[in-house]
Amino acid sequence: MKYSPVQNYINGIFVDASSARKLPVISPIDGNHLSDVPMSTGKDLDDAVKAAKASFTAWSKMPIKERVQVFFRYKTLLEKNLKELAELCSEENGKTYSESVAEIEKCIELTEFATSLPQLVTGEILEVSKGVECRTEHVPLGVVASIVPFNFPAMVPNWTIPNAIALGNCMILKPSEKVPLCSARLAQLLKEAGLPDGVFNIVNGDSEIVTAICDHPGIEAVSFVGSTKVAKIVYQRATQNFKRALALGGAKNHLMVLPDAKPDMTAQNVAASMSGCAGQRCMAASAMVAVGEVDHIINKICDEAKKIIPGENLGAVISKESKERIEGYITEAEKQGAKILVDGRNAKVKGKENGTYVGPTVIDYVKPDMAVAKEEIFGPVISIMRTKTVDEALAIENSNPYGNAASVFTQNGGMARYIIDKASAGMIGVNVGVPVPREPFSFGGWNESKFGVGDITGKSSIEFWTKLKKSTTKWNPEAGVNWMS
Ligand code: NAD
């Protein structure tokens, strides 16, 4: 085992979980046993909630301009430790080093946004009638929880940590049991940045601890990022317990390619979108609708895909089970009559025989009712469907239950606007394969890709992590009494 066993982080110190139950943390790159992660119990969660509650009064009463000073220092520490964090991220998740560098750079951007929060939460004040003022303030909720997936071990925790904490909350983070190492390192950096003990805590575990979070009376709000199946469970359970909840789920993102699209730019964007992070991105292109005659672009997409080499510029998928599931989808599509233009099955990387790699895969002549057309594959695979018209393409996109992202590739602005209007997804790209809104814009899908109101990052997250206090005040007796005040 390369690293010592993972511990929980409660009240500023790393502690053992109360249960001996544990799971191995395996590097997808080469199958190396990196560490063991404990499966915590309700008692561990209770300890973390107690610590967070005890810290809440002092932290929430500190002026926000002082609270964000921690995040100015945290940003500098992320920059200083970028290389080491990126290496750890690659090791536990399997993505390439350059993808991990981009992930940490995104953590820095997320933290930068949090440092700007004092500018955004000034509240409002207005004299509503003579001598009477109404004022709004953003008040933190208390102890909040953030449950995160495996595919971005550093970025998704940082979707919630800086904003929720800068806004005055205390947090319990539940990392993915597959990638708990980056989270532990983030806890150390937050401490080094001067975050008071107890404000940020980590409780490791699996579904048992997620259920305990949803049920715990001391937790006010739960944010979740992961698959739609679990997002539904978490959203339902947390809200049933009268908690505020925001649960982001899976995706099946459609790219619509029109005949007038710029061939090289389109091919490069499509190939990068379907294969980046080995296709394990909720914003990855997973289905492409080829509208009309675009064979020349499909040929170029195949050429681009062939330049993507497992173990070089393509990382591993998270586990053996994942590799088998992805390859199963490809085989099933082939059996049903789809044509495999580029086949990533049975990928091997010399010297990393225990790594779990799937090569880039392009499947053409997919029918809309095939599993590869409808379901989230979460691997470097793109399923191409053919239509004659844009409206047929939109009908395919609209009928999918997810709604994270959709993109169109065209040079026709009017057509792009038409697709922006008609696509049923929260984040739309025009000639962009991965249309992630950058800060201060917020991130969040529609339909079965997100349950709850508002988005998880950017300005929209302020509403989720705070409640509004409205005060009406009158200090001059001459104001008298009118019908409202
Ligand atoms: P997952 O749903 O399996 O796990 C997410 C979290 O839930 C983990 O912390 C895990 O321990 C916990 N969990 C797993 N099963 C559970 C259960 N039955 N009950 C309670 N908790 C449970 O997701 P994953 O495999 O880690 O991540 C991949 C998924 O996340 C993909 O579907 C991807 O699209 C999605 N994702 C979505 C977004 C988004 O913004 N919409 C972002 C990143 C990832």
Side-chain angles (χ1 to χ4, degrees):
M1 200 160 77
K2 181 169 176 184
Y3 300 107
S4 51
V6 175
Q7 293 179 294
N8 291 335
Y9 181 73
I10 298 177
N11 210 18
I13 46 172
F14 286 97
V15 290
D16 286 332
S18 59
S19 150
R21 195 162 74 88
K22 60 183 181 192
L23 288 175
V25 181
I26 304 292
S27 175
I29 291 175
D30 52 11
N32 195 8
H33 183 183
L34 297 176
S35 182
D36 284 335
V37 59
M39 298 296 105
S40 307
T41 65
K43 182 198 168 297
D44 304 313
L45 178 66
D46 232 17
D47 291 346
V49 174
K50 278 194 191 111
K53 254 188 181 323
S55 308
F56 178 66
T57 309
W59 181 247
S60 60
K61 293 289 170 242
M62 189 185 280
I64 187 165
K65 273 169 155 303
E66 281 179 43
R67 287 197 300 256
V68 299
Q69 297 310 313
V70 170
F71 289 97
F72 279 109
R73 294 189 290 269
Y74 177 63
K75 173 185 176 277
T76 307
L77 288 169
L78 289 173
E79 285 162 348
K80 199 170 134 200
N81 294 281
L82 190 146
K83 189 170 175 291
E84 177 222 320
L85 278 165
E87 279 166 3
L88 192 60
C89 181
S90 286
E91 206 172 17
E92 64 175 342
N93 170 275
K95 63 183 68 178
T96 65
Y97 177 69
S98 61
E99 287 167 346
S100 292
V101 167
E103 174 161 355
I104 308 305
E105 283 170 348
K106 180 67 192 175
C107 297
I108 292 165
E109 182 174 69
L110 290 157
T111 307
E112 267 170 16
F113 175 75
T115 62
S116 73
L117 282 167
Q119 285 32 272
L120 299 172
V121 294
T122 51
E124 294 177 318
I125 187 163
L126 182 73
E127 186 182 40
V128 289
S129 58
K130 190 136 188 67
V132 179
E133 280 180 352
C134 278
R135 174 184 173 190
T136 57
E137 291 164 83
H138 288 275
V139 176
L141 304 175
V143 180
V144 299
S146 172
I147 302 160
V148 292
F150 78 80
N151 62 329
F152 285 95
M155 182 190 78
V156 176
N158 278 295
W159 276 0
T160 58
I161 296 169
N163 290 358
I165 294 181
L167 287 165
N169 299 289
C170 293
M171 177 176 277
I172 319 279
L173 178 76
K174 206 302 275 175
S176 163
E177 61 275 35
K178 294 174 185 138
V179 295
L181 300 172
C182 279
S183 292
R185 189 68 188 110
L186 296 177
Q188 289 172 336
L189 296 183
L190 285 164
K191 182 156 178 142
E192 202 180 328
L195 190 72
D197 291 346
V199 174
F200 176 70
N201 306 274
I202 300 176
V203 180
N204 289 286
D206 56 8
S207 59
E208 188 183 324
I209 210 71
V210 172
T211 306
I213 287 172
C214 294
D215 291 348
H216 200 293
I219 296 176
E220 303 298 328
V222 178
S223 77
F224 171 89
V225 181
S227 61
T228 291
K229 181 176 146 233
V230 184
K232 284 182 178 174
I233 296 171
V234 168
Y235 185 77
Q236 252 175 351
R237 190 145 187 150
T239 52
Q240 203 169 15
N241 285 315
F242 306 108
K243 294 183 199 314
R244 199 177 272 205
L246 184 60
L248 274 62
K252 184 80 185 174
N253 304 316
H254 291 70
L255 304 180
M256 287 165 252
V257 175
L258 275 51
D260 69 343
K262 290 259 186 219
D264 289 330
M265 181 179 81
T266 303
Q268 284 158 10
N269 272 275
V270 173
S273 178
M274 56 85 95
S275 68
C277 297
Q280 300 174 121
R281 284 191 288 195
C282 65
M283 294 296 281
S286 178
M288 176 179 136
V289 191
V291 183
E293 179 41 61
V294 296
D295 278 337
H296 59 298
I297 301 178
I298 293 174
N299 290 339
K300 280 185 184 282
I301 292 171
C302 292
D303 292 343
E304 289 296 326
K306 286 175 194 155
K307 293 183 204 161
I308 300 165
I309 313 294
E312 288 178 23
N313 51 356
L314 178 67
V317 298
I318 190 70
S319 63
K320 200 165 156 286
E321 295 72 40
S322 226
K323 176 177 159 71
E324 283 167 6
R325 186 178 46 75
I326 297 162
E327 295 189 340
Y329 270 114
I330 304 167
T331 303
E332 191 192 334
E334 189 176 38
K335 278 193 197 141
Q336 290 173 333
K339 194 169 166 197
I340 316 294
L341 301 182
V342 181
D343 191 349
R345 287 171 291 184
N346 307 312
K348 288 266 181 303
V349 174
K350 202 158 178 282
K352 297 191 171 114
E353 282 71 18
N354 290 326
T356 43
Y357 295 88
V358 179
T361 300
V362 181
I363 313 177
D364 201 358
Y365 298 104
V366 168
K367 297 279 173 255
D369 61 348
M370 292 180 184
V372 286
K374 295 190 297 190
E375 295 170 19
E376 181 174 47
I377 301 173
F378 228 48
V381 179
I382 191 140
S383 308
I384 302 177
M385 287 167 273
R386 306 258 183 166
T387 65
K388 289 199 175 72
T389 67
V390 163
D391 286 325
E392 283 172 74
L394 280 165
I396 291 173
E397 192 279 335
N398 285 186
S399 66
N400 194 272
Y402 296 107
N404 228 31
S407 289
V408 55
F409 287 84
T410 181
Q411 290 303 301
N412 181 332
M415 188 54 82
R417 184 65 239 178
Y418 182 76
I419 288 171
I420 291 172
D421 286 345
K422 303 269 177 190
S424 182
M427 295 171 279
I428 313 286
V430 176
N431 300 320
V432 172
V434 185
V436 173
R438 304 269 302 266
E439 277 54 35
F441 299 96
S442 63
F443 184 100
W446 286 4
N447 309 330
E448 299 228 330
S449 291
K450 194 192 72 188
F451 305 92
V453 177
D455 288 337
I456 200 160
T457 64
K459 286 186 192 170
S460 182
S461 71
I462 297 169
E463 300 309 319
F464 185 71
W465 294 122
T466 60
K467 51 194 175 189
L468 271 188
K469 180 163 275 182
K470 287 76 62 179
S471 53
T472 306
T473 56
K474 175 165 65 183
W475 292 104
N476 56 338
E478 302 79 54
V481 176
N482 70 19
W483 64 281
M484 281 295 280
S485 51

PDB file of all heavy atoms in Angstrom, residues 100-125:
ATOM      1  N   SER A 100      -5.393  16.607 -15.031  1.00  0.00           N
ATOM      2  CA  SER A 100      -5.405  16.905 -13.590  1.00  0.00           C
ATOM      3  C   SER A 100      -4.934  18.332 -13.326  1.00  0.00           C
ATOM      4  O   SER A 100      -5.458  19.003 -12.437  1.00  0.00           O
ATOM      5  CB  SER A 100      -4.512  15.920 -12.829  1.00  0.00           C
ATOM      6  OG  SER A 100      -5.090  14.646 -12.876  1.00  0.00           O
ATOM      7  N   VAL A 101      -3.950  18.788 -14.103  1.00  0.00           N
ATOM      8  CA  VAL A 101      -3.497  20.181 -13.945  1.00  0.00           C
ATOM      9  C   VAL A 101      -4.681  21.117 -14.230  1.00  0.00           C
ATOM     10  O   VAL A 101      -4.957  22.057 -13.475  1.00  0.00           O
ATOM     11  CB  VAL A 101      -2.305  20.482 -14.885  1.00  0.00           C
ATOM     12  CG1 VAL A 101      -2.030  21.978 -14.961  1.00  0.00           C
ATOM     13  CG2 VAL A 101      -1.060  19.722 -14.411  1.00  0.00           C
ATOM     14  N   ALA A 102      -5.418  20.815 -15.303  1.00  0.00           N
ATOM     15  CA  ALA A 102      -6.591  21.644 -15.639  1.00  0.00           C
ATOM     16  C   ALA A 102      -7.611  21.587 -14.497  1.00  0.00           C
ATOM     17  O   ALA A 102      -8.253  22.595 -14.179  1.00  0.00           O
ATOM     18  CB  ALA A 102      -7.210  21.164 -16.940  1.00  0.00           C
ATOM     19  N   GLU A 103      -7.748  20.418 -13.897  1.00  0.00           N
ATOM     20  CA  GLU A 103      -8.709  20.275 -12.777  1.00  0.00           C
ATOM     21  C   GLU A 103      -8.311  21.169 -11.595  1.00  0.00           C
ATOM     22  O   GLU A 103      -9.150  21.855 -11.008  1.00  0.00           O
ATOM     23  CB  GLU A 103      -8.798  18.800 -12.349  1.00  0.00           C
ATOM     24  CG  GLU A 103      -9.658  18.621 -11.120  1.00  0.00           C
ATOM     25  CD  GLU A 103     -10.169  17.221 -10.877  1.00  0.00           C
ATOM     26  OE1 GLU A 103      -9.962  16.324 -11.710  1.00  0.00           O
ATOM     27  OE2 GLU A 103     -10.803  17.013  -9.829  1.00  0.00           O
ATOM     28  N   ILE A 104      -7.029  21.203 -11.279  1.00  0.00           N
ATOM     29  CA  ILE A 104      -6.591  22.040 -10.144  1.00  0.00           C
ATOM     30  C   ILE A 104      -6.704  23.519 -10.522  1.00  0.00           C
ATOM     31  O   ILE A 104      -7.065  24.357  -9.688  1.00  0.00           O
ATOM     32  CB  ILE A 104      -5.140  21.681  -9.696  1.00  0.00           C
ATOM     33  CG1 ILE A 104      -4.992  20.165  -9.432  1.00  0.00           C
ATOM     34  CG2 ILE A 104      -4.749  22.479  -8.448  1.00  0.00           C
ATOM     35  CD1 ILE A 104      -5.961  19.547  -8.447  1.00  0.00           C
ATOM     36  N   GLU A 105      -6.435  23.816 -11.788  1.00  0.00           N
ATOM     37  CA  GLU A 105      -6.604  25.225 -12.225  1.00  0.00           C
ATOM     38  C   GLU A 105      -8.059  25.656 -12.079  1.00  0.00           C
ATOM     39  O   GLU A 105      -8.359  26.792 -11.716  1.00  0.00           O
ATOM     40  CB  GLU A 105      -6.115  25.402 -13.671  1.00  0.00           C
ATOM     41  CG  GLU A 105      -4.594  25.456 -13.724  1.00  0.00           C
ATOM     42  CD  GLU A 105      -4.024  25.381 -15.131  1.00  0.00           C
ATOM     43  OE1 GLU A 105      -4.778  25.055 -16.076  1.00  0.00           O
ATOM     44  OE2 GLU A 105      -2.810  25.622 -15.276  1.00  0.00           O
ATOM     45  N   LYS A 106      -8.959  24.711 -12.332  1.00  0.00           N
ATOM     46  CA  LYS A 106     -10.381  25.027 -12.147  1.00  0.00           C
ATOM     47  C   LYS A 106     -10.694  25.234 -10.652  1.00  0.00           C
ATOM     48  O   LYS A 106     -11.495  26.107 -10.294  1.00  0.00           O
ATOM     49  CB  LYS A 106     -11.245  23.897 -12.735  1.00  0.00           C
ATOM     50  CG  LYS A 106     -12.729  24.113 -12.607  1.00  0.00           C
ATOM     51  CD  LYS A 106     -13.245  25.275 -13.444  1.00  0.00           C
ATOM     52  CE  LYS A 106     -14.657  25.639 -13.065  1.00  0.00           C
ATOM     53  NZ  LYS A 106     -15.178  26.812 -13.746  1.00  0.00           N
ATOM     54  N   CYS A 107     -10.033  24.461  -9.785  1.00  0.00           N
ATOM     55  CA  CYS A 107     -10.219  24.667  -8.330  1.00  0.00           C
ATOM     56  C   CYS A 107      -9.813  26.098  -7.963  1.00  0.00           C
ATOM     57  O   CYS A 107     -10.445  26.742  -7.125  1.00  0.00           O
ATOM     58  CB  CYS A 107      -9.373  23.695  -7.508  1.00  0.00           C
ATOM     59  SG  CYS A 107      -9.804  21.973  -7.734  1.00  0.00           S
ATOM     60  N   ILE A 108      -8.748  26.574  -8.603  1.00  0.00           N
ATOM     61  CA  ILE A 108      -8.255  27.933  -8.323  1.00  0.00           C
ATOM     62  C   ILE A 108      -9.296  28.956  -8.786  1.00  0.00           C
ATOM     63  O   ILE A 108      -9.612  29.903  -8.060  1.00  0.00           O
ATOM     64  CB  ILE A 108      -6.876  28.135  -9.005  1.00  0.00           C
ATOM     65  CG1 ILE A 108      -5.838  27.245  -8.318  1.00  0.00           C
ATOM     66  CG2 ILE A 108      -6.454  29.608  -8.981  1.00  0.00           C
ATOM     67  CD1 ILE A 108      -4.540  27.068  -9.078  1.00  0.00           C
ATOM     68  N   GLU A 109      -9.869  28.711  -9.963  1.00  0.00           N
ATOM     69  CA  GLU A 109     -10.895  29.645 -10.457  1.00  0.00           C
ATOM     70  C   GLU A 109     -12.117  29.645  -9.526  1.00  0.00           C
ATOM     71  O   GLU A 109     -12.700  30.701  -9.237  1.00  0.00           O
ATOM     72  CB  GLU A 109     -11.325  29.264 -11.874  1.00  0.00           C
ATOM     73  CG  GLU A 109     -12.345  30.217 -12.447  1.00  0.00           C
ATOM     74  CD  GLU A 109     -12.689  29.939 -13.905  1.00  0.00           C
ATOM     75  OE1 GLU A 109     -13.320  28.904 -14.193  1.00  0.00           O
ATOM     76  OE2 GLU A 109     -12.334  30.750 -14.762  1.00  0.00           O
ATOM     77  N   LEU A 110     -12.509  28.468  -9.057  1.00  0.00           N
ATOM     78  CA  LEU A 110     -13.657  28.375  -8.135  1.00  0.00           C
ATOM     79  C   LEU A 110     -13.372  29.145  -6.849  1.00  0.00           C
ATOM     80  O   LEU A 110     -14.250  29.823  -6.299  1.00  0.00           O
ATOM     81  CB  LEU A 110     -13.954  26.905  -7.815  1.00  0.00           C
ATOM     82  CG  LEU A 110     -14.536  26.082  -8.980  1.00  0.00           C
ATOM     83  CD1 LEU A 110     -14.278  24.597  -8.785  1.00  0.00           C
ATOM     84  CD2 LEU A 110     -16.028  26.345  -9.130  1.00  0.00           C
ATOM     85  N   THR A 111     -12.126  29.055  -6.378  1.00  0.00           N
ATOM     86  CA  THR A 111     -11.758  29.741  -5.137  1.00  0.00           C
ATOM     87  C   THR A 111     -11.715  31.253  -5.357  1.00  0.00           C
ATOM     88  O   THR A 111     -12.142  32.024  -4.493  1.00  0.00           O
ATOM     89  CB  THR A 111     -10.398  29.202  -4.636  1.00  0.00           C
ATOM     90  OG1 THR A 111     -10.494  27.779  -4.562  1.00  0.00           O
ATOM     91  CG2 THR A 111     -10.063  29.747  -3.265  1.00  0.00           C
ATOM     92  N   GLU A 112     -11.221  31.651  -6.528  1.00  0.00           N
ATOM     93  CA  GLU A 112     -11.217  33.084  -6.868  1.00  0.00           C
ATOM     94  C   GLU A 112     -12.625  33.647  -6.785  1.00  0.00           C
ATOM     95  O   GLU A 112     -12.846  34.740  -6.260  1.00  0.00           O
ATOM     96  CB  GLU A 112     -10.747  33.278  -8.327  1.00  0.00           C
ATOM     97  CG  GLU A 112      -9.282  33.524  -8.487  1.00  0.00           C
ATOM     98  CD  GLU A 112      -8.878  33.444  -9.959  1.00  0.00           C
ATOM     99  OE1 GLU A 112      -9.743  33.507 -10.859  1.00  0.00           O
ATOM    100  OE2 GLU A 112      -7.682  33.290 -10.193  1.00  0.00           O
ATOM    101  N   PHE A 113     -13.576  32.869  -7.305  1.00  0.00           N
ATOM    102  CA  PHE A 113     -14.969  33.345  -7.260  1.00  0.00           C
ATOM    103  C   PHE A 113     -15.409  33.546  -5.808  1.00  0.00           C
ATOM    104  O   PHE A 113     -16.029  34.561  -5.472  1.00  0.00           O
ATOM    105  CB  PHE A 113     -15.913  32.360  -7.973  1.00  0.00           C
ATOM    106  CG  PHE A 113     -17.355  32.772  -7.829  1.00  0.00           C
ATOM    107  CD1 PHE A 113     -17.847  33.839  -8.571  1.00  0.00           C
ATOM    108  CD2 PHE A 113     -18.194  32.149  -6.923  1.00  0.00           C
ATOM    109  CE1 PHE A 113     -19.171  34.266  -8.412  1.00  0.00           C
ATOM    110  CE2 PHE A 113     -19.508  32.577  -6.755  1.00  0.00           C
ATOM    111  CZ  PHE A 113     -19.995  33.632  -7.509  1.00  0.00           C
ATOM    112  N   ALA A 114     -15.049  32.583  -4.939  1.00  0.00           N
ATOM    113  CA  ALA A 114     -15.471  32.693  -3.533  1.00  0.00           C
ATOM    114  C   ALA A 114     -14.910  33.962  -2.890  1.00  0.00           C
ATOM    115  O   ALA A 114     -15.572  34.586  -2.054  1.00  0.00           O
ATOM    116  CB  ALA A 114     -15.038  31.457  -2.755  1.00  0.00           C
ATOM    117  N   THR A 115     -13.708  34.353  -3.302  1.00  0.00           N
ATOM    118  CA  THR A 115     -13.130  35.566  -2.707  1.00  0.00           C
ATOM    119  C   THR A 115     -13.884  36.826  -3.165  1.00  0.00           C
ATOM    120  O   THR A 115     -13.731  37.881  -2.560  1.00  0.00           O
ATOM    121  CB  THR A 115     -11.626  35.721  -3.045  1.00  0.00           C
ATOM    122  OG1 THR A 115     -11.492  35.834  -4.455  1.00  0.00           O
ATOM    123  CG2 THR A 115     -10.803  34.566  -2.517  1.00  0.00           C
ATOM    124  N   SER A 116     -14.676  36.679  -4.225  1.00  0.00           N
ATOM    125  CA  SER A 116     -15.449  37.848  -4.695  1.00  0.00           C
ATOM    126  C   SER A 116     -16.831  37.908  -4.053  1.00  0.00           C
ATOM    127  O   SER A 116     -17.591  38.840  -4.301  1.00  0.00           O
ATOM    128  CB  SER A 116     -15.595  37.810  -6.221  1.00  0.00           C
ATOM    129  OG  SER A 116     -16.518  36.803  -6.593  1.00  0.00           O
ATOM    130  N   LEU A 117     -17.168  36.939  -3.228  1.00  0.00           N
ATOM    131  CA  LEU A 117     -18.527  36.896  -2.657  1.00  0.00           C
ATOM    132  C   LEU A 117     -18.903  38.151  -1.859  1.00  0.00           C
ATOM    133  O   LEU A 117     -20.070  38.571  -1.901  1.00  0.00           O
ATOM    134  CB  LEU A 117     -18.707  35.628  -1.810  1.00  0.00           C
ATOM    135  CG  LEU A 117     -18.958  34.354  -2.636  1.00  0.00           C
ATOM    136  CD1 LEU A 117     -18.811  33.103  -1.779  1.00  0.00           C
ATOM    137  CD2 LEU A 117     -20.333  34.395  -3.286  1.00  0.00           C
ATOM    138  N   PRO A 118     -17.970  38.777  -1.126  1.00  0.00           N
ATOM    139  CA  PRO A 118     -18.390  39.991  -0.397  1.00  0.00           C
ATOM    140  C   PRO A 118     -18.991  41.046  -1.328  1.00  0.00           C
ATOM    141  O   PRO A 118     -19.867  41.809  -0.928  1.00  0.00           O
ATOM    142  CB  PRO A 118     -17.075  40.492   0.222  1.00  0.00           C
ATOM    143  CG  PRO A 118     -16.227  39.281   0.356  1.00  0.00           C
ATOM    144  CD  PRO A 118     -16.578  38.423  -0.830  1.00  0.00           C
ATOM    145  N   GLN A 119     -18.547  41.035  -2.578  1.00  0.00           N
ATOM    146  CA  GLN A 119     -19.071  42.026  -3.535  1.00  0.00           C
ATOM    147  C   GLN A 119     -20.496  41.673  -3.962  1.00  0.00           C
ATOM    148  O   GLN A 119     -21.241  42.515  -4.466  1.00  0.00           O
ATOM    149  CB  GLN A 119     -18.208  42.062  -4.804  1.00  0.00           C
ATOM    150  CG  GLN A 119     -16.854  42.736  -4.747  1.00  0.00           C
ATOM    151  CD  GLN A 119     -16.100  42.683  -3.458  1.00  0.00           C
ATOM    152  OE1 GLN A 119     -16.290  43.551  -2.622  1.00  0.00           O
ATOM    153  NE2 GLN A 119     -15.246  41.694  -3.269  1.00  0.00           N
ATOM    154  N   LEU A 120     -20.849  40.402  -3.796  1.00  0.00           N
ATOM    155  CA  LEU A 120     -22.132  39.928  -4.342  1.00  0.00           C
ATOM    156  C   LEU A 120     -23.230  39.767  -3.292  1.00  0.00           C
ATOM    157  O   LEU A 120     -24.385  39.553  -3.632  1.00  0.00           O
ATOM    158  CB  LEU A 120     -21.920  38.581  -5.052  1.00  0.00           C
ATOM    159  CG  LEU A 120     -20.957  38.624  -6.237  1.00  0.00           C
ATOM    160  CD1 LEU A 120     -20.671  37.222  -6.753  1.00  0.00           C
ATOM    161  CD2 LEU A 120     -21.541  39.474  -7.356  1.00  0.00           C
ATOM    162  N   VAL A 121     -22.842  39.784  -2.015  1.00  0.00           N
ATOM    163  CA  VAL A 121     -23.868  39.537  -0.981  1.00  0.00           C
ATOM    164  C   VAL A 121     -24.069  40.775  -0.098  1.00  0.00           C
ATOM    165  O   VAL A 121     -24.284  40.670   1.093  1.00  0.00           O
ATOM    166  CB  VAL A 121     -23.544  38.289  -0.113  1.00  0.00           C
ATOM    167  CG1 VAL A 121     -23.615  37.034  -0.936  1.00  0.00           C
ATOM    168  CG2 VAL A 121     -22.183  38.415   0.557  1.00  0.00           C
ATOM    169  N   THR A 122     -24.039  41.924  -0.747  1.00  0.00           N
ATOM    170  CA  THR A 122     -24.200  43.163   0.020  1.00  0.00           C
ATOM    171  C   THR A 122     -25.630  43.346   0.495  1.00  0.00           C
ATOM    172  O   THR A 122     -25.911  44.188   1.338  1.00  0.00           O
ATOM    173  CB  THR A 122     -23.791  44.374  -0.838  1.00  0.00           C
ATOM    174  OG1 THR A 122     -24.487  44.268  -2.079  1.00  0.00           O
ATOM    175  CG2 THR A 122     -22.299  44.407  -1.075  1.00  0.00           C
ATOM    176  N   GLY A 123     -26.563  42.583  -0.037  1.00  0.00           N
ATOM    177  CA  GLY A 123     -27.958  42.746   0.356  1.00  0.00           C
ATOM    178  C   GLY A 123     -28.547  44.004  -0.272  1.00  0.00           C
ATOM    179  O   GLY A 123     -27.888  44.706  -1.057  1.00  0.00           O
ATOM    180  N   GLU A 124     -29.797  44.265   0.074  1.00  0.00           N
ATOM    181  CA  GLU A 124     -30.477  45.428  -0.501  1.00  0.00           C
ATOM    182  C   GLU A 124     -31.088  46.252   0.606  1.00  0.00           C
ATOM    183  O   GLU A 124     -31.421  45.722   1.677  1.00  0.00           O
ATOM    184  CB  GLU A 124     -31.583  44.953  -1.446  1.00  0.00           C
ATOM    185  CG  GLU A 124     -31.036  44.244  -2.658  1.00  0.00           C
ATOM    186  CD  GLU A 124     -32.117  43.704  -3.566  1.00  0.00           C
ATOM    187  OE1 GLU A 124     -33.106  43.151  -3.039  1.00  0.00           O
ATOM    188  OE2 GLU A 124     -31.957  43.832  -4.784  1.00  0.00           O
ATOM    189  N   ILE A 125     -31.230  47.526   0.366  1.00  0.00           N
ATOM    190  CA  ILE A 125     -31.885  48.385   1.350  1.00  0.00           C
ATOM    191  C   ILE A 125     -32.674  49.442   0.584  1.00  0.00           C
ATOM    192  O   ILE A 125     -32.220  49.951  -0.443  1.00  0.00           O
ATOM    193  CB  ILE A 125     -30.850  48.989   2.329  1.00  0.00           C
ATOM    194  CG1 ILE A 125     -31.564  49.733   3.454  1.00  0.00           C
ATOM    195  CG2 ILE A 125     -29.836  49.877   1.655  1.00  0.00           C
ATOM    196  CD1 ILE A 125     -30.660  49.984   4.665  1.00  0.00           C
TER     197      ILE A 125
END
